[in-house]
Amino acid sequence: MEDNYDDIINLPHHVSKNRPKMSLYKRAAQFMPFMAVKGLKEVLAEVERYTEPKEDLMEDRKDLLDRKLSILQGFLEISPDVVVTYFEPDKRKAGGKYLTVTAQLKDIQMERKRIILSSGEKILFENIKDLDSNLFEEIE
């Protein structure tokens, strides 16, 4: 059986006398414009980006947060300092991240079920994981 490459299979590899050998990096770079799927790199980066799931709070924890909100409601006129740990949902995929912010409490909007801080955050009650203030020293 005759192979189509029998005449060249044992020839030595050609090395140019006029041009220097191209690095592997430059050889790979010349094919970059031919990536099969445009935007693949961005999609892969988005998939790799970590988000954490939102924790479900136990009923006793929810009750404690309700008591803390009630206490804060009585001190709105002095704009107390609060430390809020809350869940910020990701805009692109499931999950999000937990953030902690320290600011003065500007308002509690019971009808909208959110708090507003002097730093501009508007945080839904359902996303609050923890509230702290020097006003709470007796209840914990």
Side-chain angles (χ1 to χ4, degrees):
M1 182 184 265
E2 187 174 315
D3 192 2
N4 292 339
Y5 299 105
D6 283 344
D7 58 334
I8 62 169
I9 196 74
N10 292 320
L11 291 177
H13 180 71
H14 174 73
V15 178
S16 174
K17 296 176 185 171
N18 301 328
R19 297 178 187 261
K21 185 175 180 179
M22 186 182 290
S23 71
L24 289 178
Y25 178 78
K26 286 185 179 179
R27 286 182 66 173
Q30 71 182 341
F31 293 102
M32 288 302 290
F34 300 104
M35 285 185 68
V37 179
K38 291 192 181 221
L40 178 64
K41 186 177 182 180
E42 292 80 11
V43 169
L44 291 175
E46 179 63 21
V47 169
E48 290 175 355
R49 191 171 56 83
Y50 177 74
T51 58
E52 56 187 306
K54 182 178 178 184
E55 296 176 24
D56 289 330
L57 298 180
M58 302 297 284
E59 286 302 317
D60 60 335
R61 189 75 186 153
K62 289 179 184 177
D63 291 341
L64 178 61
L65 287 173
D66 286 343
R67 288 199 326 256
K68 288 180 175 183
L69 285 170
S70 294
I71 291 170
L72 290 172
Q73 185 81 34
F75 290 94
L76 277 177
E77 68 278 353
I78 65 168
S79 298
D81 288 334
V82 292
V83 179
V84 185
T85 300
Y86 67 99
F87 182 77
E88 182 178 90
D90 194 278
K91 291 175 177 42
R92 294 187 178 174
K93 65 183 191 178
K97 60 185 172 183
Y98 280 94
L99 301 172
T100 300
V101 63
T102 302
Q104 288 182 314
L105 182 63
K106 188 173 177 183
D107 194 13
I108 297 176
Q109 297 178 334
M110 298 305 275
E111 67 283 353
R112 290 189 170 182
K113 297 184 179 185
R114 69 181 186 180
I115 62 173
I116 299 176
L117 303 177
S118 61
S119 54
E121 285 92 349
K122 296 174 183 173
I123 305 168
L124 295 174
F125 293 167
E126 66 188 43
N127 290 336
I128 297 174
K129 181 180 178 183
D130 193 27
L131 270 173
D132 198 16
S133 172
N134 58 0
L135 301 172
F136 304 145
E137 292 175 2
E138 298 174 11
I139 67 168
E140 291 192 46

mmCIF file of all heavy atoms in Angstrom, residues 1-27:
data_model
loop_
_atom_site.group_PDB
_atom_site.id
_atom_site.type_symbol
_atom_site.label_atom_id
_atom_site.label_comp_id
_atom_site.label_asym_id
_atom_site.label_seq_id
_atom_site.Cartn_x
_atom_site.Cartn_y
_atom_site.Cartn_z
ATOM 1 N N MET A 1 0.839 -1.166 0.000
ATOM 2 C CA MET A 1 0.000 0.000 0.000
ATOM 3 C C MET A 1 0.893 1.240 0.000
ATOM 4 O O MET A 1 1.774 1.390 0.807
ATOM 5 C CB MET A 1 -0.886 -0.043 1.245
ATOM 6 C CG MET A 1 -1.827 1.115 1.281
ATOM 7 S SD MET A 1 -2.778 1.140 2.785
ATOM 8 C CE MET A 1 -4.216 0.313 2.284
ATOM 9 N N GLU A 2 0.644 2.120 -0.922
ATOM 10 C CA GLU A 2 1.473 3.317 -1.071
ATOM 11 C C GLU A 2 0.799 4.505 -0.395
ATOM 12 O O GLU A 2 -0.383 4.747 -0.558
ATOM 13 C CB GLU A 2 1.651 3.622 -2.560
ATOM 14 C CG GLU A 2 2.630 4.727 -2.788
ATOM 15 C CD GLU A 2 2.900 4.926 -4.270
ATOM 16 O OE1 GLU A 2 3.090 3.937 -4.982
ATOM 17 O OE2 GLU A 2 2.894 6.088 -4.663
ATOM 18 N N ASP A 3 1.580 5.247 0.415
ATOM 19 C CA ASP A 3 1.074 6.424 1.115
ATOM 20 C C ASP A 3 1.402 7.656 0.284
ATOM 21 O O ASP A 3 2.426 7.726 -0.381
ATOM 22 C CB ASP A 3 1.735 6.508 2.498
ATOM 23 C CG ASP A 3 1.049 7.540 3.389
ATOM 24 O OD1 ASP A 3 0.059 8.137 2.956
ATOM 25 O OD2 ASP A 3 1.516 7.715 4.521
ATOM 26 N N ASN A 4 0.529 8.655 0.317
ATOM 27 C CA ASN A 4 0.732 9.867 -0.482
ATOM 28 C C ASN A 4 1.936 10.692 -0.031
ATOM 29 O O ASN A 4 2.412 11.535 -0.772
ATOM 30 C CB ASN A 4 -0.509 10.746 -0.414
ATOM 31 C CG ASN A 4 -1.684 10.123 -1.116
ATOM 32 O OD1 ASN A 4 -1.508 9.245 -1.968
ATOM 33 N ND2 ASN A 4 -2.883 10.550 -0.780
ATOM 34 N N TYR A 5 2.430 10.456 1.181
ATOM 35 C CA TYR A 5 3.530 11.267 1.700
ATOM 36 C C TYR A 5 4.858 10.509 1.751
ATOM 37 O O TYR A 5 5.804 10.979 2.343
ATOM 38 C CB TYR A 5 3.178 11.784 3.098
ATOM 39 C CG TYR A 5 1.944 12.657 3.095
ATOM 40 C CD1 TYR A 5 0.740 12.173 3.577
ATOM 41 C CD2 TYR A 5 1.991 13.948 2.598
ATOM 42 C CE1 TYR A 5 -0.401 12.961 3.551
ATOM 43 C CE2 TYR A 5 0.859 14.748 2.578
ATOM 44 C CZ TYR A 5 -0.331 14.249 3.059
ATOM 45 O OH TYR A 5 -1.442 15.032 3.043
ATOM 46 N N ASP A 6 4.930 9.374 1.140
ATOM 47 C CA ASP A 6 6.156 8.583 1.178
ATOM 48 C C ASP A 6 7.367 9.336 0.644
ATOM 49 O O ASP A 6 8.483 9.138 1.111
ATOM 50 C CB ASP A 6 5.984 7.284 0.389
ATOM 51 C CG ASP A 6 5.172 6.259 1.169
ATOM 52 O OD1 ASP A 6 5.022 6.445 2.391
ATOM 53 O OD2 ASP A 6 4.691 5.295 0.541
ATOM 54 N N ASP A 7 7.166 10.221 -0.306
ATOM 55 C CA ASP A 7 8.282 10.927 -0.922
ATOM 56 C C ASP A 7 8.870 12.025 -0.029
ATOM 57 O O ASP A 7 10.018 12.420 -0.203
ATOM 58 C CB ASP A 7 7.859 11.514 -2.270
ATOM 59 C CG ASP A 7 6.680 12.461 -2.159
ATOM 60 O OD1 ASP A 7 5.885 12.312 -1.209
ATOM 61 O OD2 ASP A 7 6.553 13.350 -3.014
ATOM 62 N N ILE A 8 8.113 12.520 0.959
ATOM 63 C CA ILE A 8 8.628 13.616 1.790
ATOM 64 C C ILE A 8 8.705 13.277 3.276
ATOM 65 O O ILE A 8 9.247 14.054 4.058
ATOM 66 C CB ILE A 8 7.776 14.887 1.625
ATOM 67 C CG1 ILE A 8 6.333 14.642 2.091
ATOM 68 C CG2 ILE A 8 7.835 15.411 0.204
ATOM 69 C CD1 ILE A 8 5.515 15.897 2.207
ATOM 70 N N ILE A 9 8.204 12.119 3.650
ATOM 71 C CA ILE A 9 8.088 11.827 5.079
ATOM 72 C C ILE A 9 9.419 11.802 5.811
ATOM 73 O O ILE A 9 9.504 12.161 6.980
ATOM 74 C CB ILE A 9 7.315 10.497 5.294
ATOM 75 C CG1 ILE A 9 6.833 10.370 6.749
ATOM 76 C CG2 ILE A 9 8.161 9.301 4.933
ATOM 77 C CD1 ILE A 9 5.701 11.239 7.075
ATOM 78 N N ASN A 10 10.489 11.450 5.178
ATOM 79 C CA ASN A 10 11.782 11.348 5.855
ATOM 80 C C ASN A 10 12.729 12.507 5.562
ATOM 81 O O ASN A 10 13.899 12.457 5.947
ATOM 82 C CB ASN A 10 12.457 10.031 5.479
ATOM 83 C CG ASN A 10 11.709 8.836 6.058
ATOM 84 O OD1 ASN A 10 11.249 8.905 7.198
ATOM 85 N ND2 ASN A 10 11.556 7.795 5.273
ATOM 86 N N LEU A 11 12.229 13.552 4.924
ATOM 87 C CA LEU A 11 13.068 14.721 4.656
ATOM 88 C C LEU A 11 13.270 15.524 5.945
ATOM 89 O O LEU A 11 12.390 15.560 6.817
ATOM 90 C CB LEU A 11 12.418 15.614 3.600
ATOM 91 C CG LEU A 11 12.355 15.050 2.179
ATOM 92 C CD1 LEU A 11 11.619 16.039 1.276
ATOM 93 C CD2 LEU A 11 13.739 14.756 1.647
ATOM 94 N N PRO A 12 14.410 16.188 6.094
ATOM 95 C CA PRO A 12 14.626 17.010 7.291
ATOM 96 C C PRO A 12 13.700 18.228 7.287
ATOM 97 O O PRO A 12 13.299 18.717 6.241
ATOM 98 C CB PRO A 12 16.094 17.426 7.189
ATOM 99 C CG PRO A 12 16.453 17.265 5.766
ATOM 100 C CD PRO A 12 15.562 16.200 5.191
ATOM 101 N N HIS A 13 13.407 18.722 8.489
ATOM 102 C CA HIS A 13 12.548 19.906 8.645
ATOM 103 C C HIS A 13 13.254 21.120 8.041
ATOM 104 O O HIS A 13 14.427 21.355 8.292
ATOM 105 C CB HIS A 13 12.265 20.143 10.132
ATOM 106 C CG HIS A 13 11.402 21.341 10.384
ATOM 107 N ND1 HIS A 13 10.063 21.375 10.078
ATOM 108 C CD2 HIS A 13 11.704 22.554 10.916
ATOM 109 C CE1 HIS A 13 9.580 22.552 10.411
ATOM 110 N NE2 HIS A 13 10.566 23.296 10.932
ATOM 111 N N HIS A 14 12.502 21.907 7.257
ATOM 112 C CA HIS A 14 13.083 23.084 6.613
ATOM 113 C C HIS A 14 13.313 24.202 7.631
ATOM 114 O O HIS A 14 12.446 24.524 8.433
ATOM 115 C CB HIS A 14 12.163 23.597 5.505
ATOM 116 C CG HIS A 14 12.630 24.879 4.910
ATOM 117 N ND1 HIS A 14 13.713 24.944 4.069
ATOM 118 C CD2 HIS A 14 12.183 26.148 5.054
ATOM 119 C CE1 HIS A 14 13.904 26.209 3.714
ATOM 120 N NE2 HIS A 14 12.980 26.953 4.303
ATOM 121 N N VAL A 15 14.483 24.802 7.617
ATOM 122 C CA VAL A 15 14.818 25.950 8.446
ATOM 123 C C VAL A 15 15.293 27.053 7.513
ATOM 124 O O VAL A 15 16.232 26.863 6.746
ATOM 125 C CB VAL A 15 15.919 25.601 9.480
ATOM 126 C CG1 VAL A 15 16.289 26.827 10.287
ATOM 127 C CG2 VAL A 15 15.466 24.472 10.375
ATOM 128 N N SER A 16 14.642 28.221 7.590
ATOM 129 C CA SER A 16 14.972 29.337 6.710
ATOM 130 C C SER A 16 16.351 29.901 7.048
ATOM 131 O O SER A 16 16.708 30.052 8.211
ATOM 132 C CB SER A 16 13.927 30.442 6.849
ATOM 133 O OG SER A 16 14.319 31.576 6.105
ATOM 134 N N LYS A 17 17.093 30.244 6.012
ATOM 135 C CA LYS A 17 18.392 30.884 6.199
ATOM 136 C C LYS A 17 18.248 32.401 6.258
ATOM 137 O O LYS A 17 19.133 33.097 6.729
ATOM 138 C CB LYS A 17 19.326 30.511 5.043
ATOM 139 C CG LYS A 17 19.641 29.038 5.005
ATOM 140 C CD LYS A 17 20.473 28.701 3.798
ATOM 141 C CE LYS A 17 20.671 27.194 3.728
ATOM 142 N NZ LYS A 17 21.278 26.765 2.504
ATOM 143 N N ASN A 18 17.126 32.928 5.768
ATOM 144 C CA ASN A 18 16.926 34.376 5.669
ATOM 145 C C ASN A 18 16.109 34.974 6.831
ATOM 146 O O ASN A 18 16.219 36.153 7.113
ATOM 147 C CB ASN A 18 16.222 34.719 4.358
ATOM 148 C CG ASN A 18 17.011 34.248 3.155
ATOM 149 O OD1 ASN A 18 18.234 34.221 3.189
ATOM 150 N ND2 ASN A 18 16.314 33.845 2.113
ATOM 151 N N ARG A 19 15.276 34.185 7.464
ATOM 152 C CA ARG A 19 14.387 34.710 8.511
ATOM 153 C C ARG A 19 14.668 34.020 9.846
ATOM 154 O O ARG A 19 14.885 32.818 9.883
ATOM 155 C CB ARG A 19 12.927 34.472 8.144
ATOM 156 C CG ARG A 19 12.513 35.192 6.893
ATOM 157 C CD ARG A 19 11.058 34.860 6.592
ATOM 158 N NE ARG A 19 10.664 35.399 5.319
ATOM 159 C CZ ARG A 19 9.994 36.531 5.156
ATOM 160 N NH1 ARG A 19 9.648 37.234 6.200
ATOM 161 N NH2 ARG A 19 9.674 36.947 3.968
ATOM 162 N N PRO A 20 14.594 34.803 10.950
ATOM 163 C CA PRO A 20 14.785 34.174 12.271
ATOM 164 C C PRO A 20 13.544 33.341 12.639
ATOM 165 O O PRO A 20 12.447 33.602 12.152
ATOM 166 C CB PRO A 20 14.951 35.360 13.216
ATOM 167 C CG PRO A 20 14.283 36.490 12.532
ATOM 168 C CD PRO A 20 14.436 36.247 11.048
ATOM 169 N N LYS A 21 13.749 32.378 13.508
ATOM 170 C CA LYS A 21 12.649 31.526 13.935
ATOM 171 C C LYS A 21 11.658 32.355 14.766
ATOM 172 O O LYS A 21 12.042 33.106 15.654
ATOM 173 C CB LYS A 21 13.196 30.367 14.770
ATOM 174 C CG LYS A 21 12.148 29.366 15.152
ATOM 175 C CD LYS A 21 12.759 28.177 15.864
ATOM 176 C CE LYS A 21 11.661 27.201 16.238
ATOM 177 N NZ LYS A 21 12.182 26.031 16.902
ATOM 178 N N MET A 22 10.373 32.215 14.457
ATOM 179 C CA MET A 22 9.331 32.968 15.154
ATOM 180 C C MET A 22 9.046 32.292 16.504
ATOM 181 O O MET A 22 8.960 31.077 16.598
ATOM 182 C CB MET A 22 8.043 32.988 14.311
ATOM 183 C CG MET A 22 6.964 33.868 14.883
ATOM 184 S SD MET A 22 5.428 33.856 13.918
ATOM 185 C CE MET A 22 5.951 34.739 12.465
ATOM 186 N N SER A 23 8.875 33.129 17.545
ATOM 187 C CA SER A 23 8.570 32.582 18.878
ATOM 188 C C SER A 23 7.165 31.977 18.868
ATOM 189 O O SER A 23 6.312 32.349 18.056
ATOM 190 C CB SER A 23 8.656 33.679 19.942
ATOM 191 O OG SER A 23 7.576 34.577 19.791
ATOM 192 N N LEU A 24 6.922 31.077 19.812
ATOM 193 C CA LEU A 24 5.594 30.466 19.918
ATOM 194 C C LEU A 24 4.535 31.512 20.243
ATOM 195 O O LEU A 24 3.398 31.431 19.768
ATOM 196 C CB LEU A 24 5.601 29.371 20.983
ATOM 197 C CG LEU A 24 6.366 28.104 20.635
ATOM 198 C CD1 LEU A 24 6.338 27.128 21.806
ATOM 199 C CD2 LEU A 24 5.788 27.439 19.400
ATOM 200 N N TYR A 25 4.905 32.514 21.035
ATOM 201 C CA TYR A 25 3.969 33.585 21.380
ATOM 202 C C TYR A 25 3.518 34.341 20.130
ATOM 203 O O TYR A 25 2.331 34.574 19.926
ATOM 204 C CB TYR A 25 4.633 34.535 22.381
ATOM 205 C CG TYR A 25 3.769 35.709 22.760
ATOM 206 C CD1 TYR A 25 2.731 35.559 23.673
ATOM 207 C CD2 TYR A 25 3.980 36.967 22.201
ATOM 208 C CE1 TYR A 25 1.934 36.623 24.024
ATOM 209 C CE2 TYR A 25 3.177 38.037 22.534
ATOM 210 C CZ TYR A 25 2.154 37.854 23.451
ATOM 211 O OH TYR A 25 1.363 38.911 23.791
ATOM 212 N N LYS A 26 4.467 34.687 19.259
ATOM 213 C CA LYS A 26 4.119 35.420 18.030
ATOM 214 C C LYS A 26 3.341 34.536 17.060
ATOM 215 O O LYS A 26 2.447 34.994 16.367
ATOM 216 C CB LYS A 26 5.377 35.961 17.362
ATOM 217 C CG LYS A 26 5.970 37.152 18.071
ATOM 218 C CD LYS A 26 7.139 37.724 17.308
ATOM 219 C CE LYS A 26 7.716 38.933 18.003
ATOM 220 N NZ LYS A 26 8.865 39.483 17.299
ATOM 221 N N ARG A 27 3.672 33.259 17.041
ATOM 222 C CA ARG A 27 2.943 32.336 16.163
ATOM 223 C C ARG A 27 1.490 32.230 16.611
ATOM 224 O O ARG A 27 0.582 32.232 15.785
ATOM 225 C CB ARG A 27 3.593 30.959 16.174
ATOM 226 C CG ARG A 27 4.891 30.915 15.390
ATOM 227 C CD ARG A 27 5.470 29.550 15.373
ATOM 228 N NE ARG A 27 4.573 28.676 14.614
ATOM 229 C CZ ARG A 27 4.864 27.433 14.299
ATOM 230 N NH1 ARG A 27 6.002 26.898 14.670
ATOM 231 N NH2 ARG A 27 4.016 26.704 13.617
#
